[in-house]
Amino acid sequence: MSRMWRSALLAAILTFPPATLGADGDTLSSFQVTSGKLPGSFFGGIEFASLQTSLQSLSGYGLHFGYQYVLTNHWAVDGSLAQIYGAGAGAGVSALYSAINATVRYAVASEFPQASSQIYFRGRRVVDESPENYRTMAVGLQMNQLFLNGSNAVFNATGLAVVLSYDAQLWGYRMRPELRYGMLSANDADMTAIFANLLFPF
């Protein structure tokens, strides 16, 4: 069912009096409309990372999971975890780093979704009308804490990254491509980092 028809059905049920829906009220009583806020959602996906210092370059792939909480139509925060594997930390593929991230985002085009309405007919959901914004571009600032696996020890890398993300819908699936560029400090050495994510809210 298209969004236009879903919106029209929802408006009709909420607007018309009982007499127009059923003379005995049975038809109206068979409908149930629920609504509520959707302040946040979990997300997960894949991450590519490229880390560069004056002495070496490391890169790898891995998994990225987190939770986003919508504060207002234009502001959201999220926290996430990542585990990246690569060949730069030693012979063969091994754990390159683990990461903890905290992000503040601002929607510069459209808005973050905050509410939804569902229509049930005789206990069966027939309409799920969520004002999801499948084309929301956001910018943000992220705090990064990386735990780099060295040959003999684990090193901390801490810093900030700028974030550009784009929420969209493709083939019926919500997704969020994301790019991040960060400046970090690891073991008294400066490090630049480029991260690319493909995340799926759920």
Side-chain angles (χ1 to χ4, degrees):
M1 182 181 292
S2 68
R3 292 182 61 84
M4 181 181 69
W5 285 107
R6 291 200 302 263
S7 299
L9 179 59
L10 177 62
I13 292 175
L14 295 177
T15 303
F16 289 116
T20 64
L21 294 174
D24 57 1
D26 289 341
T27 303
L28 181 62
S29 63
S30 298
F31 281 98
Q32 180 183 5
V33 180
T34 63
S35 61
K37 289 189 175 182
L38 294 174
S41 61
F42 290 96
F43 58 84
I46 57 175
E47 175 171 305
F48 166 77
S50 176
L51 311 177
Q52 182 74 47
T53 69
S54 59
L55 300 177
Q56 61 180 331
S57 177
L58 306 174
S59 63
Y61 297 86
L63 300 176
H64 190 112
F65 293 95
Y67 182 80
Q68 176 176 271
Y69 189 88
V70 178
L71 298 174
T72 68
N73 290 342
H74 287 281
W75 289 98
V77 295
D78 68 60
S80 60
L81 303 172
Q83 179 64 61
I84 306 301
Y85 297 88
V93 177
S94 60
L96 185 61
Y97 70 81
S98 302
I100 301 174
N101 310 304
T103 311
V104 177
R105 302 175 190 276
Y106 178 77
V108 295
S110 191
E111 300 176 346
F112 293 112
Q114 283 194 287
S116 67
S117 297
Q118 296 82 34
I119 300 175
Y120 294 84
F121 180 69
R122 295 178 180 174
R124 182 179 179 181
R125 186 171 62 184
V126 294
V127 174
D128 189 349
E129 178 65 15
S130 300
E132 305 269 0
N133 299 294
Y134 295 116
R135 299 179 183 273
T136 301
M137 181 175 291
V139 296
L141 187 64
Q142 183 176 83
M143 183 183 69
N144 303 117
Q145 176 67 65
L146 276 59
F147 303 96
L148 298 162
N149 292 314
S151 301
N152 301 309
V154 175
F155 301 95
N156 292 330
T158 305
L160 295 175
V162 292
V163 182
L164 176 64
S165 63
Y166 185 71
D167 287 87
Q169 185 181 25
L170 184 62
W171 301 310
Y173 294 96
R174 295 173 57 196
M175 59 182 61
R176 188 174 84 197
E178 180 179 275
L179 288 175
R180 296 176 284 147
Y181 178 80
M183 299 291 294
L184 300 91
S185 177
N187 199 27
D188 296 327
D190 293 332
M191 173 185 291
T192 59
I194 298 175
F195 308 94
N197 297 94
L198 181 58
L199 305 173
F200 299 88
F202 55 89

